Amino acid sequence: MSLLDIRRLYVEPGVEDWQRGREVLARYPDAERIEVASHQNIPELHGNPGGVRDWVRNKRQVLVLGEKKSLQARENGRSADWIAPSTSNGCAMACGYCYVPRRKGYANPITVFVNIERITGYLARHVKRLGPKPEPNQCDPVDWVYDIGENGDCSVDAMVSDNVRDLVDLFGDLPGAKASFATKHVNRDLLEWDPRGGTRIRFSLMPERTAKLLDLRTSPVAERIAAIDDFVEAGYEVQLNFSPVVVHETWEAEWRELLRQVADGVGERARRQLACEVIFLTHNAGLHEVNLGWHPRGEDLLWRPDLQEAKTSHSGQENVRYRARWKRVWTDRLVAMIDEELPGCRVRYAF
């Protein structure tokens, strides 16, 4: 079954006033078009408990077109120095731990923002205002790093519009700055682009057994590892996103095996520039209840009250994370394991 088979388009007024809007609409001439007042409030999709039954179908068959109204780069300091204004929201994949359903409600298919010229113009001006990076940090020793895929997967977004290509082209011409995004999908069309070192791709990896249960509708982990050398050769910087780390009875042995697969599958050129980030699972009681309605088996791994405790996020959400005293031990163990199995792979941060 294909990842996307767009049959329904929800369209904000004014989308056709933008070149990108007209291009995307032309890609799907036979899809049903439904006009909506706002891409952020579509009752059939957002906050609709009945959407659990159509979780995967909505992700595969629905596309939303709208305009990004507020343009703001937010300081980050972990995956990137800055979170860029989104050119999309939502995803066609269906990872069981995804935070977006916690915030927006139920399955959240891709929304494409059609005012790409305003977004790229804003980013170019933002980089110019910052000037040269004053000192190295864990994000990058030289460049300001902008995460362009916080709310989706850019490799999949590139299948429905040219927004991602426009961003890769932009950062290829912006001295002192680079784009960055994490992905679980191998889109080899991106190998035909010319990033000129201005884009960092972070391939998200987890042990295959866990991924088969939680990383639904994504590229197999082995395929992601096999793509690393090709993307480095094409001019991308490639790093690894070990996320989320899901703790269970055999998790350490499985992570060691994964690290060995990476060591065996990545060439010398990629190894010289390799770095990673490590992020342990955050879950949520509301998402747990939703997941029980469409993918309960995944919750056997994700919902572990015996290992987890309540934690209020920086945005005020009540989540659950692994108990702090244990998580510190587990984090140290995994970081040490990375050093053993992937010597030279710098851990940019781990939490």
Side-chain angles (χ1 to χ4, degrees), residues 194-205:
D194 184 14
R196 300 182 295 284
T199 296
R200 171 188 295 167
I201 295 180
R202 292 145 33 229
F203 279 105
S204 294
L205 302 177

Side-chain angles (χ1 to χ4, degrees), residues 102 283-293 296 299-300 302-303:
R102 300 203 305 258
H283 201 27
N284 175 278
L287 179 58
H288 168 64
E289 292 300 321
V290 171
N291 283 351
L292 289 175
E299 290 304 299
D300 292 341
L302 296 175
W303 190 253

